[in-house]
Structures are given as C-alpha cells and as structure tokens.
Amino acid sequence: MTGLYLGLMSGTSMDGIDAVLASDDAGPRVLGHIHHPFSPALRETLMALNASGGDELHRAAQAANAVAMGYAAAISALLAQTGKSAADVTAAGCHGQTVRHQPGAGYTLQLLNGALLAELSGIRIVCDFRSRDIAAGGTGAPLVPAFHHAVFSHPQRSRAIVNIGGMANITCLPAGGEVSGFDCGPGGALMDGWIMEHQHSAYDAGGAWAASGKPLPELLERLLAHEFFSLPPPKSTGRETFNLQWIRNALTGGAAPADVQSTLCELTAAAIAGALNMHCADAAEVFLCGGGARNDSLRARLGERLPGRRIATTDELGIAAELVEAAAFAWLAARTLASEPGNLPRVTGARGPRVLGAVYPA
Ligand SMILES: Nc1ncnc2c1ncn2[C@@H]1O[C@H](COP(=O)(O)OP(=O)(O)O)[C@@H](O)[C@H]1O
Ligand SMILES: [Mg+2]
C-alpha cells in the first residue's frame, strides 16, 4: 500500500459512517478520521430494508444513493480536516451498508451506489468486496482477518483480535502460525436494540445500564443454546439470525428490562469467550476493537470469563478501536488495485484467494 487511501465503513450496528485517511509509507498509519452518524430517517430506512417489504427494489436503490451521499459528505469533511484534496487520494475502499447477508443463497448485499460516489467525490471507488468471495464458495465474511494479520500479528506472541460491532468476529493470530477467523455471534446489536426500545438511547454508553442489572441465568442458557454458537467455522452471521425478535421469543415475561440488558451483555461476552477458548486457546493477549471495545461492562465480563489472558484494545497497537474496520477497507482497496487477494480462504471457506471488489474509476 503506497500513497493515500480512504477507508469507509458502515457496519451492522447502523450507527453511521466511520471514515479514515490512511497511508502505509511507514507501516499502515491512520492520518485522520471522522464519524458521521446516519440521520434517524436513513437509519430507519436501512433497518426496514433488512426485511422484505413493498416496492423494495426502488427503496433499496434510493437508499444506495443516500448511502453514497452520506459517504461523499464524510469524505469531503475528512479531506477538509486533513488538508488534502481528492487528487491526493489513490482510492477509497467503501464497505456499503449490509441489508442482506445470505451466503447460503449465493449473495450478500451492501447498499452503496459506487458510480454516484465516484461522481460526487472525484475519487476512484472500490466497493462490493464480499461478493467475489461468495462467488468462490465462501461466506463473504469476515474480511478483516487479513488486515489484522498484516498489522497486528507478533512473531513471538499469540494474539487474538476481537472486533465488536453490531456482530462480533474473532481473528486468531498464533505466533508463527496460520491466521484464522470467523464471526462468533452478536456484538452490540442486541444491546443497542433493547436499550433503544426501553430507554430511547442509541447504545448503552459504557455498558452502564447492563451493569445496573443482573444476568438472568435461564434466559442466558436459552440464548446460548442457539445452534450458531456450536457450528464449526467457517461461519458468518448478521441481523437475520440475531435480532430483537429472537430475544422476545426467548423471554418468558416479567423480566426487568435492565436484567435483560445485563443478560445480552453477558451473552456477547460468553459467545466471544467460548469462541476464544475453543479456537484461540493459546492467545494470551486479546485486543478488542470496534465500538463495543468501549463497553466497560462487556470488557469486565470478558475479563472474568478469560482468566489468565490480558484484555486490551487495539489503541495499544497503534489503531484506535473504532477505526480498525475502516482502516481495513482502505487496506483492502489497496490490495485490489495491486491485484492482490483480500480474502483468506481458511477464514471464509472460499475455493481460493481472490482479488476482491468492484472498481468505479474517478
Ligand atoms: N461508549 C460506548 N459504550 C458502549 N458501547 C459503545 C460505545 N461506543 C460504541 N459502542 C457500541 O459500538 C457500536 C458501534 O460499533 P461499530 O464498530 O461502529 O460497529 P458496526 O461496524 O457494526 O457499525 C454501537 O452501536 C455500540 O453498540
Ligand atoms: Mg459503525
């Protein structure tokens, strides 16, 4: 990766757009970043597109335009903030907004009008990274483990990277061994949904509400019985599987909302810890990234469930937790333009390494 790249990520939590300006002239470095929240209206539109409904082709096309306009505004603000212009940037790696992820049915859908974004930004756009991996028989996710391996691995220390967004995924980086990774279950999406329903907040800041309640052991046990948790990798998941309706179906009535929140926090911790114990047993260092790394209750519960391991955030490794995934898409765009593969077949189950993405020239 030489030159300047932009990386833009909007994940399953649907909180908005994280954008970074990155360079690799002295190791991958983030030179600037910005977060643009989605407007409540766009968030609602995108959330509704996670399920079938009337006139959805038109609604999806309009939403893809709105996402492109949001990405363009984030790019413009980030360039102004860093004193750069479009001409300084080699390309922007853009994730788009997942509204369906159905590798079993042969597709995944990240809404983003790449042509419109190239037109609005004057920058070469690389997007639709996941489809090629699925075309090659993979699950299309997670794609971040290759980046985690490139920037966070250590020759003598076995590490694990845990990305906690709306869903959570794990990358195992054994010292001198082969990288592996998979989605391990829900990240913050269930906690976000529950606190929105009961307290009208977008997320549980610091996990304070979860900390005010007590986990409900029977509910936790019912939720952990979901077959996804015991499936062997490769595996990936999304809102199709882990959503509030699933929680409502598991509730027997009479539970205090704060105790349910506490249980959902425990569920995320248990899913992550279980996956680490099963697949990254020798990783003595666990680095958290994604917005969920800022959930103190979740970190405390992870600490309890992972005795003997050091739990930290990727801030320590030089990339702030909330910027890692956007930085990964800047890196993936550079891989694409260099005709280098971006997927790891061991992780996604694809038939082989593939150069990912679709390119819209500036
Ligand atoms: N201070 C915080 N305390 C608790 N949770 C947080 C905090 N900041 C962010 N989060 C969580 O992180 C999520 C966003 O993380 P992000 O990495 O952007 O996920 P995604 O890629 O799915 O959008 C929020 O929805 C929220 O659940
Ligand atoms: Mg996000």
Side-chain angles (χ1 to χ4, degrees):
M1 176 171 164
T2 52
L4 291 178
Y5 284 80
L6 290 162
L8 286 97
M9 178 68 204
S10 49
T12 45
S13 78
M14 302 208 174
D15 58 332
I17 303 159
D18 289 298
V20 302
L21 179 70
S23 103
D24 191 33
D25 296 338
R29 268 188 316 146
V30 173
L31 305 175
H33 65 90
I34 204 162
H35 176 75
H36 269 204
F38 284 139
S39 70
L42 179 54
R43 188 168 197 272
E44 203 173 305
T45 298
L46 293 169
M47 201 67 94
L49 283 164
N50 278 261
S52 318
D55 205 17
E56 68 185 30
L57 278 178
H58 175 73
R59 288 190 292 126
Q62 294 279 289
N65 285 351
V67 171
M69 288 186 254
Y71 275 40
I75 288 175
S76 162
L78 181 54
L79 291 180
Q81 182 186 295
T82 51
K84 302 290 181 195
S85 69
D88 298 324
V89 176
T90 306
C94 300
H95 180 268
Q97 185 62 51
T98 301
V99 290
R100 305 289 164 89
H101 182 66
Q102 310 228 348
Y107 74 94
T108 184
L109 190 52
Q110 283 73 49
L111 293 181
L112 174 69
N113 183 338
L116 178 59
L117 182 52
E119 185 67 27
L120 293 173
S121 65
I123 292 172
R124 175 163 39 179
I125 302 302
V126 188
C127 57
D128 191 18
F129 287 90
R130 301 189 188 276
S131 292
R132 183 60 186 270
D133 184 80
I134 291 184
T139 57
L143 294 180
V144 285
F147 176 73
H148 292 164
H149 177 63
V151 300
F152 295 143
S153 59
H154 190 282
Q156 281 92 38
R157 297 189 197 153
S158 291
R159 290 175 164 169
I161 311 296
V162 184
N163 176 25
I164 311 170
M167 299 295 139
N169 60 272
I170 284 178
T171 303
C172 307
L173 300 170
E178 255 195 292
V179 53
S180 61
F182 55 94
D183 283 358
C184 62
L190 300 172
M191 288 186 272
D192 290 353
W194 190 253
I195 198 168
M196 177 53 82
E197 193 167 278
H198 291 270
Q199 311 246 312
H200 307 289
S201 307
Y203 62 89
D204 186 4
W209 193 41
S212 77
K214 288 231 171 341
L216 303 165
E218 284 171 20
L219 176 61
L220 180 64
E221 197 179 321
R222 270 198 299 284
L223 298 176
L224 282 172
H226 194 294
E227 62 169 11
F228 180 83
F229 298 117
S230 48
L231 279 180
K235 58 181 178 175
S236 68
T237 192
R239 288 181 177 275
E240 292 87 350
T241 306
F242 295 112
N243 51 52
L244 271 198
Q245 196 51 51
W246 175 61
I247 302 302
R248 289 188 201 107
N249 294 344
L251 286 170
T252 49
D259 290 344
V260 174
Q261 185 75 351
S262 187
T263 310
L264 297 178
C265 188
E266 194 69 46
L267 172 70
T268 294
I272 292 169
L276 286 172
N277 287 335
M278 195 151 6
H279 300 284
C280 308
D282 71 336
E285 301 181 322
V286 178
F287 294 95
L288 310 182
C289 59
R294 307 298 180 212
N295 185 324
D296 301 319
S297 293
L298 179 59
R299 283 180 62 176
R301 287 164 203 271
L302 278 171
E304 279 168 26
R305 286 180 173 268
L306 296 167
R309 307 204 205 210
R310 192 165 79 83
I311 316 283
T313 67
T314 57
D315 302 16
E316 238 184 68
L317 302 178
I319 305 183
E322 39 278 280
L323 307 182
V324 171
E325 208 166 6
F329 279 88
W331 182 86
L332 283 166
R335 299 282 295 178
T336 300
L337 296 183
S339 301
E340 299 275 2
N343 64 335
L344 293 174
R346 267 174 68 86
V347 170
T348 63
R351 281 186 288 276
R354 294 289 186 273
V355 179
L356 306 177
V359 180
Y360 290 84

